[in-house]
Coordinates of all heavy atoms in Angstrom, one line a residue:
M1201 N -37.7 -52.9 23.4 CA -38.9 -52.9 22.6 C -38.7 -53.9 21.5 O -37.6 -53.9 20.8 CB -39.2 -51.4 22.0 CG -40.3 -51.4 21.1 SD -40.5 -49.8 20.5 CE -42.0 -49.3 21.3
K1202 N -39.6 -54.8 21.3 CA -39.6 -55.8 20.2 C -39.9 -55.1 19.0 O -40.9 -54.6 18.7 CB -40.5 -56.9 20.6 CG -40.4 -58.1 19.7 CD -41.4 -59.1 20.1 CE -41.3 -60.2 19.0 NZ -42.3 -61.3 19.3
E1203 N -39.1 -55.4 17.9 CA -39.2 -55.0 16.6 C -40.1 -56.0 15.9 O -39.7 -57.2 15.7 CB -38.0 -54.7 15.9 CG -38.1 -54.1 14.4 CD -36.8 -53.7 13.9 OE1 -35.9 -53.2 14.6 OE2 -36.6 -54.0 12.7
E1204 N -41.2 -55.5 15.3 CA -42.0 -56.5 14.5 C -41.5 -56.6 13.0 O -41.1 -55.6 12.4 CB -43.5 -56.0 14.3 CG -44.2 -56.0 15.7 CD -45.7 -55.6 15.6 OE1 -46.3 -56.0 14.5 OE2 -46.1 -54.9 16.4
N1205 N -41.5 -57.8 12.6 CA -41.3 -58.1 11.2 C -42.5 -57.8 10.4 O -43.5 -58.5 10.6 CB -40.9 -59.6 10.9 CG -39.5 -59.9 11.6 OD1 -38.6 -58.9 11.8 ND2 -39.2 -61.1 11.9
T1206 N -42.4 -57.0 9.4 CA -43.5 -56.6 8.5 C -43.3 -57.2 7.2 O -42.2 -57.2 6.7 CB -43.8 -55.1 8.5 OG1 -42.7 -54.5 7.9 CG2 -44.2 -54.6 9.8
F1207 N -44.2 -57.6 6.5 CA -44.2 -58.2 5.2 C -45.3 -57.5 4.3 O -46.5 -57.5 4.7 CB -44.5 -59.7 5.2 CG -44.6 -60.4 4.0 CD1 -43.4 -60.6 3.1 CD2 -45.8 -60.7 3.4 CE1 -43.5 -61.2 1.9 CE2 -45.9 -61.3 2.1 CZ -44.7 -61.5 1.4
N1208 N -44.8 -56.8 3.4 CA -45.7 -56.1 2.5 C -45.6 -56.6 1.1 O -44.3 -57.0 0.7 CB -45.4 -54.6 2.4 CG -45.6 -54.0 3.9 OD1 -46.6 -54.4 4.6 ND2 -44.7 -53.2 4.3
Y1209 N -46.5 -56.6 0.3 CA -46.5 -56.9 -1.1 C -47.4 -56.1 -1.8 O -48.5 -55.7 -1.3 CB -46.7 -58.4 -1.4 CG -48.2 -58.9 -1.2 CD1 -49.0 -58.9 -2.2 CD2 -48.5 -59.3 0.0 CE1 -50.4 -59.2 -2.1 CE2 -49.9 -59.7 0.3 CZ -50.8 -59.7 -0.8 OH -52.1 -60.0 -0.6
E1210 N -47.2 -55.9 -3.2 CA -48.1 -55.1 -4.0 C -48.0 -55.8 -5.4 O -47.0 -56.1 -6.0 CB -47.6 -53.7 -4.3 CG -48.4 -52.9 -5.3 CD -47.9 -51.5 -5.5 OE1 -46.9 -51.1 -4.9 OE2 -48.6 -50.8 -6.3
V1211 N -49.2 -56.2 -5.8 CA -49.4 -56.9 -7.2 C -49.2 -55.6 -8.2 O -50.3 -54.9 -8.3 CB -50.7 -57.6 -7.4 CG1 -50.8 -58.1 -8.8 CG2 -50.8 -58.7 -6.4
V1212 N -48.2 -55.4 -8.9 CA -47.9 -54.3 -9.8 C -48.7 -54.6 -11.1 O -49.2 -53.6 -11.7 CB -46.5 -54.1 -10.0 CG1 -46.1 -53.1 -11.0 CG2 -45.7 -53.8 -8.6
E1213 N -48.7 -55.9 -11.6 CA -49.3 -56.2 -12.8 C -49.9 -57.5 -12.7 O -49.1 -58.5 -12.4 CB -48.3 -56.0 -14.0 CG -48.9 -56.4 -15.3 CD -47.8 -56.4 -16.5 OE1 -46.7 -56.0 -16.2 OE2 -48.2 -56.7 -17.5
H1214 N -51.2 -57.7 -13.0 CA -51.7 -59.1 -13.1 C -51.6 -59.5 -14.6 O -52.1 -58.9 -15.6 CB -53.2 -59.0 -12.7 CG -53.9 -60.4 -13.0 ND1 -53.6 -61.5 -12.2 CD2 -54.7 -60.8 -14.0 CE1 -54.4 -62.5 -12.7 NE2 -55.1 -62.0 -13.7
I1215 N -50.9 -60.6 -14.8 CA -50.6 -61.0 -16.2 C -51.7 -62.2 -16.6 O -52.2 -62.0 -17.7 CB -49.2 -61.7 -16.3 CG1 -48.2 -60.4 -15.9 CG2 -48.9 -62.2 -17.7 CD1 -46.8 -60.9 -15.8
A1216 N -51.9 -63.2 -15.7 CA -52.8 -64.2 -16.1 C -53.2 -65.0 -14.9 O -52.5 -65.2 -14.0 CB -52.2 -65.1 -17.2
T1217 N -54.5 -65.5 -15.0 CA -55.0 -66.5 -14.0 C -55.0 -67.8 -14.8 O -55.6 -67.9 -15.9 CB -56.5 -66.1 -13.6 OG1 -56.4 -64.9 -12.9 CG2 -57.0 -67.3 -12.6
L1218 N -54.0 -68.7 -14.3 CA -53.9 -70.0 -15.1 C -54.9 -71.0 -14.7 O -55.2 -71.8 -15.6 CB -52.4 -70.5 -14.7 CG -51.3 -69.5 -15.1 CD1 -50.0 -70.2 -14.6 CD2 -51.3 -69.2 -16.5
S1219 N -55.3 -71.0 -13.5 CA -56.5 -72.0 -13.1 C -57.2 -71.4 -11.9 O -56.7 -70.5 -11.2 CB -55.8 -73.4 -12.8 OG -55.0 -73.2 -11.7
E1220 N -58.4 -72.1 -11.7 CA -59.1 -71.7 -10.5 C -59.8 -73.0 -10.0 O -60.3 -73.8 -10.7 CB -60.2 -70.7 -10.9 CG -61.0 -70.1 -9.8 CD -61.9 -68.9 -10.3 OE1 -61.7 -68.3 -11.3 OE2 -62.9 -68.7 -9.6
N1221 N -59.8 -73.1 -8.7 CA -60.2 -74.2 -8.0 C -61.0 -73.8 -6.7 O -60.3 -73.6 -5.8 CB -59.2 -75.3 -7.7 CG -59.9 -76.6 -7.1 OD1 -61.0 -76.7 -7.0 ND2 -58.9 -77.6 -6.8
G1222 N -62.3 -73.6 -6.8 CA -63.0 -73.1 -5.6 C -62.5 -71.7 -5.3 O -62.6 -70.8 -6.1
S1223 N -62.0 -71.4 -4.1 CA -61.6 -70.1 -3.7 C -60.1 -69.9 -4.0 O -59.6 -68.9 -3.6 CB -61.8 -70.0 -2.2 OG -61.1 -70.8 -1.4
T1224 N -59.5 -70.8 -4.6 CA -58.0 -70.7 -4.9 C -57.8 -70.6 -6.4 O -58.3 -71.2 -7.2 CB -57.4 -72.0 -4.4 OG1 -57.6 -72.3 -3.0 CG2 -55.8 -71.9 -4.5
T1225 N -56.8 -69.5 -6.6 CA -56.5 -69.3 -8.0 C -54.9 -69.6 -8.1 O -54.2 -69.3 -7.2 CB -56.8 -67.9 -8.6 OG1 -56.2 -66.9 -7.7 CG2 -58.3 -67.7 -8.5
K1226 N -54.5 -69.9 -9.3 CA -53.1 -69.9 -9.6 C -52.8 -68.9 -10.6 O -53.4 -68.8 -11.7 CB -52.6 -71.2 -10.2 CG -51.1 -71.5 -10.2 CD -50.8 -72.8 -10.7 CE -51.1 -73.8 -9.7 NZ -50.9 -75.2 -10.0
E1227 N -51.9 -67.9 -10.2 CA -51.8 -66.7 -11.1 C -50.3 -66.4 -11.4 O -49.4 -66.6 -10.6 CB -52.4 -65.4 -10.4 CG -53.8 -65.6 -10.0 CD -54.4 -64.4 -9.3 OE1 -53.7 -63.3 -9.3 OE2 -55.5 -64.5 -8.6
L1228 N -50.1 -65.7 -12.5 CA -48.8 -65.2 -12.9 C -49.0 -63.6 -12.8 O -49.9 -63.0 -13.4 CB -48.5 -65.5 -14.3 CG -47.0 -65.0 -14.8 CD1 -45.9 -65.4 -13.8 CD2 -46.8 -65.3 -16.1
N1229 N -48.2 -63.0 -11.9 CA -48.3 -61.5 -11.7 C -46.9 -60.9 -11.6 O -45.9 -61.7 -11.5 CB -49.0 -61.3 -10.3 CG -50.4 -61.7 -10.2 OD1 -51.2 -61.3 -11.0 ND2 -50.6 -62.6 -9.3
K1230 N -46.7 -59.6 -11.7 CA -45.5 -59.0 -11.4 C -45.8 -58.4 -10.0 O -46.7 -57.7 -9.7 CB -45.2 -57.8 -12.3 CG -44.8 -58.3 -13.7 CD -43.4 -58.6 -13.8 CE -42.3 -57.5 -13.6 NZ -41.2 -57.5 -14.4
V1231 N -45.0 -58.7 -8.9 CA -45.2 -58.4 -7.5 C -44.0 -57.8 -7.0 O -42.9 -58.3 -7.2 CB -45.6 -59.7 -6.7 CG1 -45.9 -59.4 -5.3 CG2 -46.8 -60.4 -7.3
S1232 N -44.2 -56.7 -6.2 CA -43.1 -56.1 -5.4 C -43.3 -56.5 -3.9 O -44.4 -56.4 -3.4 CB -43.3 -54.5 -5.6 OG -42.4 -54.0 -4.6
Y1233 N -42.2 -57.0 -3.4 CA -42.2 -57.5 -2.1 C -41.4 -56.5 -1.2 O -40.3 -56.2 -1.5 CB -41.7 -58.9 -1.8 CG -42.5 -60.0 -2.5 CD1 -42.3 -60.5 -3.6 CD2 -43.7 -60.4 -1.7 CE1 -43.2 -61.4 -4.3 CE2 -44.5 -61.3 -2.3 CZ -44.3 -61.8 -3.5 OH -45.1 -62.8 -4.0
N1234 N -42.0 -56.0 -0.1 CA -41.3 -55.0 0.8 C -40.6 -53.9 0.0 O -39.5 -53.5 0.4 CB -40.3 -55.9 1.7 CG -41.0 -56.8 2.6 OD1 -42.0 -56.5 3.1 ND2 -40.4 -57.9 2.8
G1235 N -41.3 -53.4 -1.0 CA -40.7 -52.2 -1.6 C -39.7 -52.5 -2.6 O -39.2 -51.5 -3.3
S1236 N -39.4 -53.7 -2.9 CA -38.3 -54.0 -3.8 C -38.9 -54.0 -5.3 O -40.0 -53.8 -5.5 CB -37.6 -55.4 -3.6 OG -38.7 -56.4 -3.8
A1237 N -37.9 -54.1 -6.3 CA -38.3 -54.0 -7.6 C -39.3 -55.3 -7.9 O -39.1 -56.3 -7.3 CB -37.1 -54.1 -8.6
A1238 N -40.3 -55.1 -8.7 CA -41.2 -56.1 -9.0 C -40.6 -57.3 -9.8 O -39.7 -57.1 -10.6 CB -42.4 -55.5 -9.9
K1239 N -41.0 -58.4 -9.4 CA -40.5 -59.7 -10.1 C -41.7 -60.6 -10.5 O -42.9 -60.3 -10.1 CB -39.7 -60.6 -9.1 CG -38.4 -59.9 -8.7 CD -37.6 -60.7 -7.7 CE -36.4 -60.0 -7.3 NZ -35.6 -60.8 -6.3
Y1240 N -41.4 -61.4 -11.5 CA -42.5 -62.4 -11.8 C -42.8 -63.3 -10.8 O -41.8 -63.8 -10.1 CB -42.1 -63.2 -13.1 CG -42.0 -62.3 -14.4 CD1 -40.9 -61.7 -14.8 CD2 -43.2 -62.0 -15.1 CE1 -40.7 -60.9 -15.9 CE2 -43.2 -61.2 -16.2 CZ -42.0 -60.6 -16.6 OH -41.9 -59.9 -17.7
D1241 N -44.1 -63.5 -10.6 CA -44.5 -64.3 -9.3 C -45.6 -65.3 -9.7 O -46.7 -64.8 -10.3 CB -45.1 -63.4 -8.3 CG -45.3 -64.1 -7.0 OD1 -44.4 -64.3 -6.2 OD2 -46.5 -64.4 -6.9
L1242 N -45.3 -66.6 -9.7 CA -46.3 -67.6 -10.1 C -46.7 -68.3 -8.8 O -45.8 -68.9 -8.1 CB -45.7 -68.6 -11.0 CG -46.4 -69.8 -11.4 CD1 -47.7 -69.3 -12.1 CD2 -45.6 -70.7 -12.3
R1243 N -47.9 -68.1 -8.3 CA -48.3 -68.6 -7.0 C -49.9 -68.9 -7.0 O -50.6 -68.3 -7.7 CB -47.9 -67.6 -6.0 CG -48.7 -66.9 -5.2 CD -48.2 -66.0 -4.0 NE -46.7 -65.7 -4.2 CZ -45.8 -66.4 -3.5 NH1 -46.1 -67.3 -2.6 NH2 -44.6 -66.1 -3.7
Q1244 N -50.2 -69.5 -5.9 CA -51.6 -69.8 -5.6 C -52.0 -68.7 -4.6 O -51.3 -68.3 -3.8 CB -51.8 -71.1 -5.0 CG -51.6 -72.3 -6.0 CD -51.9 -73.6 -5.4 OE1 -51.5 -73.9 -4.3 NE2 -52.8 -74.4 -6.0
W1245 N -53.2 -68.3 -4.8 CA -53.8 -67.3 -4.0 C -55.2 -67.8 -3.5 O -55.9 -68.4 -4.2 CB -54.1 -66.0 -4.7 CG -52.9 -65.3 -5.3 CD1 -52.2 -65.6 -6.4 CD2 -52.2 -64.1 -4.7 NE1 -51.2 -64.8 -6.6 CE2 -51.1 -63.9 -5.6 CE3 -52.4 -63.4 -3.6 CZ2 -50.2 -62.9 -5.3 CZ3 -51.5 -62.4 -3.4 CH2 -50.5 -62.0 -4.2
R1246 N -55.5 -67.6 -2.2 CA -56.8 -68.0 -1.6 C -57.6 -66.7 -1.4 O -57.2 -65.8 -0.8 CB -56.6 -68.8 -0.4 CG -57.9 -69.2 0.2 CD -57.9 -70.3 1.2 NE -57.3 -71.5 0.5 CZ -56.5 -72.4 1.1 NH1 -55.9 -72.1 2.2 NH2 -56.1 -73.4 0.5
H1247 N -58.9 -66.8 -2.0 CA -59.7 -65.6 -1.8 C -61.0 -66.1 -0.9 O -61.8 -66.9 -1.4 CB -60.3 -65.3 -3.2 CG -59.2 -65.0 -4.1 ND1 -58.6 -63.7 -4.4 CD2 -58.4 -65.8 -4.9 CE1 -57.7 -63.7 -5.2 NE2 -57.6 -64.9 -5.6
I1248 N -61.0 -65.7 0.4 CA -62.1 -66.0 1.2 C -62.6 -64.7 2.0 O -61.9 -64.2 2.6 CB -61.7 -67.1 2.3 CG1 -61.2 -68.4 1.5 CG2 -62.9 -67.4 3.2 CD1 -60.7 -69.5 2.4
D1249 N -63.9 -64.6 1.8 CA -64.7 -63.5 2.5 C -63.9 -62.2 2.4 O -63.7 -61.4 3.4 CB -64.7 -63.8 4.1 CG -65.6 -65.1 4.4 OD1 -66.5 -65.3 3.6 OD2 -65.3 -65.7 5.3
G1250 N -63.5 -61.9 1.1 CA -62.9 -60.6 0.8 C -61.5 -60.5 1.3 O -60.8 -59.5 1.0
E1251 N -61.0 -61.5 1.9 CA -59.5 -61.6 2.2 C -58.7 -62.4 1.3 O -59.2 -63.4 0.7 CB -59.3 -62.2 3.6 CG -58.0 -62.2 4.1 CD -57.8 -62.8 5.6 OE1 -58.8 -62.7 6.3 OE2 -56.8 -63.4 5.8
V1252 N -57.5 -61.9 0.9 CA -56.7 -62.6 -0.1 C -55.5 -63.1 0.7 O -54.8 -62.2 1.4 CB -56.2 -61.7 -1.2 CG1 -55.4 -62.4 -2.2 CG2 -57.5 -61.2 -1.9
R1253 N -55.1 -64.4 0.6 CA -53.8 -64.9 1.2 C -53.0 -65.5 0.3 O -53.4 -66.2 -0.7 CB -54.3 -66.0 2.1 CG -55.1 -65.4 3.3 CD -55.2 -66.2 4.5 NE -53.9 -66.4 5.1 CZ -53.7 -67.3 6.0 NH1 -54.6 -68.1 6.5 NH2 -52.5 -67.5 6.4
L1254 N -51.6 -65.3 0.4 CA -50.6 -65.8 -0.6 C -50.4 -67.3 -0.1 O -50.3 -67.5 1.1 CB -49.4 -65.1 -0.4 CG -49.3 -63.7 -1.0 CD1 -49.8 -62.7 -0.1 CD2 -47.7 -63.4 -1.2
L1255 N -50.3 -68.2 -1.0 CA -50.0 -69.6 -0.7 C -48.6 -69.8 -1.4 O -47.9 -68.9 -1.7 CB -51.1 -70.5 -1.3 CG -52.5 -70.3 -0.8 CD1 -53.4 -71.1 -1.4 CD2 -52.5 -70.4 0.8
K1256 N -48.2 -71.0 -1.5 CA -47.0 -71.4 -2.2 C -46.8 -70.8 -3.5 O -47.7 -70.8 -4.3 CB -46.7 -72.9 -2.1 CG -46.7 -73.5 -0.7 CD -46.3 -75.0 -0.8 CE -46.2 -75.5 0.6 NZ -45.9 -76.9 0.6
G1257 N -45.6 -70.4 -3.8 CA -45.3 -69.9 -5.1 C -43.9 -69.8 -5.3 O -43.0 -70.3 -4.7
L1258 N -43.6 -69.3 -6.5 CA -42.2 -69.1 -7.1 C -42.1 -67.7 -7.6 O -42.9 -67.3 -8.4 CB -42.1 -70.1 -8.2 CG -40.7 -70.2 -9.0 CD1 -39.7 -70.7 -8.1 CD2 -40.9 -71.0 -10.2
T1259 N -41.0 -67.1 -7.2 CA -40.6 -65.7 -7.7 C -39.4 -65.8 -8.6 O -38.5 -66.5 -8.4 CB -40.3 -64.8 -6.5 OG1 -41.4 -64.8 -5.7 CG2 -40.1 -63.4 -7.0
L1260 N -39.5 -65.2 -9.8 CA -38.5 -65.2 -10.8 C -38.0 -63.8 -11.2 O -38.9 -62.9 -11.4 CB -39.0 -65.9 -12.1 CG -39.6 -67.3 -11.9 CD1 -40.4 -67.6 -13.3 CD2 -38.5 -68.2 -11.7
T1261 N -36.7 -63.6 -11.3 CA -36.2 -62.4 -11.9 C -36.5 -62.3 -13.4 O -37.0 -63.4 -14.0 CB -34.7 -62.3 -11.8 OG1 -34.1 -63.4 -12.6 CG2 -34.2 -62.4 -10.4
D1262 N -36.3 -61.2 -14.0 CA -36.6 -61.0 -15.5 C -35.7 -62.2 -16.2 O -36.2 -62.7 -17.2 CB -36.3 -59.7 -16.0 CG -37.1 -58.6 -15.6 OD1 -38.2 -59.0 -15.1 OD2 -36.9 -57.5 -15.7
E1263 N -34.5 -62.3 -15.9 CA -33.5 -63.3 -16.5 C -34.1 -64.7 -16.4 O -34.1 -65.5 -17.3 CB -32.1 -63.2 -16.1 CG -31.5 -61.9 -16.3 CD -31.9 -60.7 -15.4 OE1 -32.4 -61.0 -14.3 OE2 -31.6 -59.6 -15.8
E1264 N -34.6 -65.1 -15.2 CA -35.1 -66.5 -14.9 C -36.4 -66.6 -15.7 O -36.6 -67.7 -16.2 CB -35.3 -66.7 -13.4 CG -34.0 -66.6 -12.6 CD -34.3 -66.5 -11.1 OE1 -35.2 -65.9 -10.7 OE2 -33.5 -67.1 -10.4
A1265 N -37.2 -65.6 -15.8 CA -38.4 -65.7 -16.5 C -38.2 -66.0 -18.0 O -38.8 -66.8 -18.6 CB -39.3 -64.5 -16.3
K1266 N -37.2 -65.2 -18.5 CA -36.9 -65.4 -19.9 C -36.3 -66.8 -20.1 O -36.7 -67.4 -21.2 CB -35.7 -64.4 -20.3 CG -35.5 -64.5 -21.8 CD -34.4 -63.5 -22.3 CE -34.1 -63.6 -23.7 NZ -34.1 -64.9 -24.3
A1267 N -35.5 -67.3 -19.3 CA -34.9 -68.7 -19.4 C -36.1 -69.7 -19.3 O -36.1 -70.7 -20.1 CB -34.0 -69.0 -18.3
L1268 N -37.1 -69.6 -18.4 CA -38.3 -70.4 -18.4 C -39.0 -70.4 -19.7 O -39.5 -71.4 -20.2 CB -39.1 -70.0 -17.2 CG -40.4 -70.9 -17.0 CD1 -40.1 -72.3 -16.8 CD2 -41.2 -70.3 -15.8
K1269 N -39.2 -69.1 -20.2 CA -40.0 -69.0 -21.4 C -39.3 -69.6 -22.6 O -40.0 -70.4 -23.4 CB -40.1 -67.5 -21.8 CG -40.9 -67.2 -23.0 CD -40.9 -65.8 -23.4 CE -41.5 -65.6 -24.8 NZ -41.1 -64.4 -25.5
D1270 N -38.0 -69.6 -22.7 CA -37.2 -70.2 -23.7 C -37.3 -71.7 -23.5 O -37.5 -72.4 -24.5 CB -35.7 -69.8 -23.7 CG -35.5 -68.4 -24.1 OD1 -36.5 -67.8 -24.7 OD2 -34.5 -67.8 -23.8
A1271 N -37.4 -72.2 -22.4 CA -37.3 -73.7 -22.1 C -38.7 -74.2 -22.4 O -38.9 -75.2 -23.1 CB -37.1 -74.0 -20.6
L1272 N -39.8 -73.5 -22.1 CA -41.1 -73.9 -22.5 C -41.4 -73.8 -24.0 O -42.1 -74.7 -24.6 CB -42.3 -73.0 -21.7 CG -42.3 -73.3 -20.3 CD1 -43.2 -72.2 -19.6 CD2 -42.8 -74.7 -19.9
N1273 N -40.8 -72.8 -24.6 CA -40.9 -72.7 -26.1 C -40.2 -73.8 -26.8 O -40.6 -74.2 -28.0 CB -40.4 -71.3 -26.6 CG -41.4 -70.2 -26.3 OD1 -42.6 -70.5 -26.1 ND2 -40.8 -69.0 -26.3
S1274 N -39.3 -74.4 -26.2 CA -38.4 -75.4 -26.9 C -39.2 -76.9 -26.7 O -38.8 -77.8 -27.4 CB -37.1 -75.6 -26.2 OG -37.1 -76.2 -24.9
I1275 N -40.3 -77.0 -26.0 CA -41.0 -78.2 -25.8 C -42.0 -78.3 -27.0 O -42.9 -77.5 -27.0 CB -41.7 -78.3 -24.4 CG1 -40.7 -78.2 -23.3 CG2 -42.6 -79.5 -24.3 CD1 -41.3 -78.1 -21.9
E1276 N -41.9 -79.3 -27.8 CA -42.6 -79.3 -29.1 C -44.1 -79.7 -28.7 O -45.0 -79.3 -29.5 CB -42.1 -80.4 -29.9 CG -40.8 -79.9 -30.6 CD -40.2 -80.8 -31.6 OE1 -41.0 -81.6 -32.2 OE2 -39.0 -80.9 -31.9
D1277 N -44.4 -80.5 -27.7 CA -45.8 -80.9 -27.4 C -46.5 -79.9 -26.7 O -47.9 -80.1 -26.5 CB -45.7 -82.2 -26.6 CG -45.1 -83.4 -27.4 OD1 -45.1 -83.2 -28.6 OD2 -44.7 -84.3 -26.7
L1278 N -46.1 -78.7 -26.4 CA -46.8 -77.7 -25.7 C -47.7 -76.9 -26.8 O -47.2 -76.5 -27.7 CB -46.0 -76.8 -24.9 CG -45.6 -77.3 -23.5 CD1 -44.8 -76.3 -22.7 CD2 -46.9 -77.5 -22.7

């Protein structure tokens, strides 16, 4: 019997929508993948006909998100 690979995710917390272009949004969320602890997730999402699809993105641990926040805060022109 062939075992199917299942992929599950749950958006635990929506933090921000950074941009929107037609049916695609770029969002920062806390997401749990396959029942694991939620991580920060920066990714594009496509919303078409009531269906939501994950596109390319980046997942960060709490420590990585803090390091990114510190790095962005150090940029004077932001």
Side-chain angles (χ1 to χ4, degrees):
M1201 178 179 250
K1202 184 179 177 185
E1203 187 176 314
E1204 289 186 38
N1205 291 334
T1206 59
F1207 174 74
N1208 300 314
Y1209 70 91
E1210 177 187 0
V1211 177
V1212 176
E1213 178 184 356
H1214 174 73
I1215 299 169
T1217 299
L1218 305 177
S1219 65
E1220 189 171 337
N1221 185 4
S1223 63
T1224 303
T1225 58
K1226 190 174 293 177
E1227 301 179 17
L1228 177 62
N1229 297 302
K1230 290 277 293 216
V1231 179
S1232 170
Y1233 291 101
N1234 294 323
S1236 66
K1239 295 181 181 178
Y1240 289 95
D1241 185 85
L1242 179 61
R1243 115 177 15 261
Q1244 290 183 307
W1245 299 79
R1246 180 163 294 138
H1247 308 265
I1248 298 179
D1249 298 329
E1251 182 179 329
V1252 179
R1253 298 195 61 189
L1254 289 80
L1255 301 176
K1256 291 183 180 184
L1258 178 70
T1259 302
L1260 302 168
T1261 64
D1262 288 348
E1263 294 81 17
E1264 291 168 330
K1266 183 180 180 330
L1268 177 60
K1269 179 183 177 205
D1270 292 344
L1272 291 172
N1273 284 339
S1274 73
I1275 301 172
E1276 289 185 24
D1277 292 341
L1278 274 180

